[in-house]
Amino acid sequence: MNLSDSRTAGQAATGQPAVSQKAAAGQRTATSGAVPRPAQGAQGAQPASPRPLARFSAAEAVFSAIRQDIENGAVQVGAKLSSEATLATQYGVSRSVIREALRSCTALGLTVTKTGRGTFVVADRVANDLTLGQYSARDLNEARPHIEVPAAGLAAKRRSLEELEHLKEIVDSMAAETDPETWVSLDASFHSAIARASGNKVFESVVADIREALAHQSETLNMVADRQHVSDDEHLRIVEAIEAGDSPAAEAAMADHLSAVSVALDTILSK
């Protein structure tokens, strides 16, 4: 079977799963960052009853499994990954979970999706920078502290009661959210709401312009670096400072948050 035509991610040239003996025995778990993939038979039959996983854990695990197969050479550069539907069946997850995992592979520079043709492996190592919509991670890291730190400080001084309540509602919703796509959308709304509360139209406009890139960044960091719950705590500290009207504290909390994001991205790129 030709890899570039129809072999699924995770299969080596023999057509068998490119996994360790432990994984082949079906002992791989979602918490280890890989989807359970029991050994296939000689005919390559798919497991009849894939183990159900929580949606976020499944997306993270599928991403980790595909990334591992690309980096260890089980899926070669130039190969075309199987369709979303086929991968969803293989891993026992929904197509939306597969799309999340593939977006992170693309952000890391491992794959490229071509409309109407499919997703192709273009590198076996993480790129020097991440592609996040129309901006790179480096672009965002360099620009955000100059925009969002002073915006948070101004929001502490200028926010209305309505804007404060909106921020608190977003933070509460994020803390309770289990759907990764919804959380990412809320995260982008959070940063946009702070820029709006700053009362500075330039800050508001710039953050609105990078909103899509911020969403891509959050999605990738949550998938690769497990940042979601840590971000919830950081967001809460920012809102508490804004509620207290403490401009220096709001700036410091936002600076700490952006610094943590930068460190997480550096860790991903250095792997």
Side-chain angles (χ1 to χ4, degrees):
M1 186 178 295
N2 192 315
L3 174 62
S4 63
D5 292 334
S6 58
R7 189 180 309 130
T8 56
Q11 290 179 300
T14 61
Q16 298 298 323
V19 296
S20 65
Q21 292 181 349
K22 179 178 179 181
Q27 297 176 17
R28 225 169 175 179
T29 65
T31 54
S32 67
V35 172
R37 289 187 289 175
Q40 296 178 345
Q43 302 302 315
Q46 298 295 332
S49 302
R51 177 181 172 185
L53 298 169
R55 187 165 179 274
F56 177 70
S57 296
E60 183 179 7
V62 170
F63 160 74
S64 180
I66 293 175
R67 177 182 178 179
Q68 178 181 326
D69 287 343
I70 291 172
E71 292 185 335
N72 68 21
V75 181
Q76 298 290 323
V77 173
K80 177 183 176 181
L81 299 183
S82 294
S83 67
E84 290 179 1
T86 300
L87 290 173
T89 299
Q90 177 187 350
Y91 289 107
V93 297
S94 68
R95 291 180 65 173
S96 63
V97 167
I98 296 298
R99 282 193 291 273
E100 289 175 42
L102 293 180
R103 280 197 297 269
S104 288
C105 287
T106 297
L108 292 180
L110 298 173
T111 62
V112 169
T113 298
K114 301 179 181 179
T115 304
R117 295 183 58 192
T119 299
F120 296 82
V121 178
V122 295
D124 59 5
R125 289 293 179 269
V126 174
N128 292 328
D129 199 3
L130 303 188
T131 301
L132 304 166
Q134 60 181 322
Y135 299 105
S136 71
R138 183 176 295 110
D139 288 341
L140 290 178
N141 280 348
E142 290 174 352
R144 291 183 69 185
H146 300 287
I147 301 162
E148 297 192 70
V149 170
L154 290 174
K157 296 178 180 177
R158 300 174 176 173
R159 55 80 179 167
S160 66
L161 181 58
E162 181 180 359
E163 289 168 336
L164 175 61
E165 289 305 311
H166 181 52
L167 281 170
K168 292 168 72 173
E169 288 173 3
I170 293 175
V171 168
D172 289 344
S173 295
M174 293 178 78
E177 187 55 63
T178 58
D179 180 83
E181 285 187 273
T182 302
W183 189 95
V184 164
S185 178
L186 287 168
D187 182 49
S189 295
F190 174 78
H191 288 278
S192 295
I194 288 178
R196 187 161 51 253
S198 75
N200 184 298
K201 293 296 184 181
V202 174
F203 289 157
E204 182 179 354
S205 177
V206 171
V207 174
D209 185 63
I210 64 174
R211 179 172 176 143
E212 181 183 359
L214 294 181
H216 284 297
Q217 184 180 72
S218 292
E219 181 178 53
T220 302
L221 286 176
N222 290 346
M223 193 87 69
V224 183
D226 194 20
R227 278 277 308 163
Q228 181 170 328
H229 298 302
V230 177
S231 289
D232 286 339
D233 292 338
E234 293 165 358
H235 291 162
L236 179 59
R237 288 195 290 274
I238 294 169
V239 172
E240 287 176 341
I242 291 175
E243 181 176 23
D246 190 334
S247 185
E251 291 183 350
M254 179 63 81
D256 288 344
H257 172 56
L258 297 181
S259 176
V261 168
S262 180
V263 169
L265 283 168
D266 288 343
T267 299
I268 292 171
L269 296 175
S270 65
K271 285 184 178 180

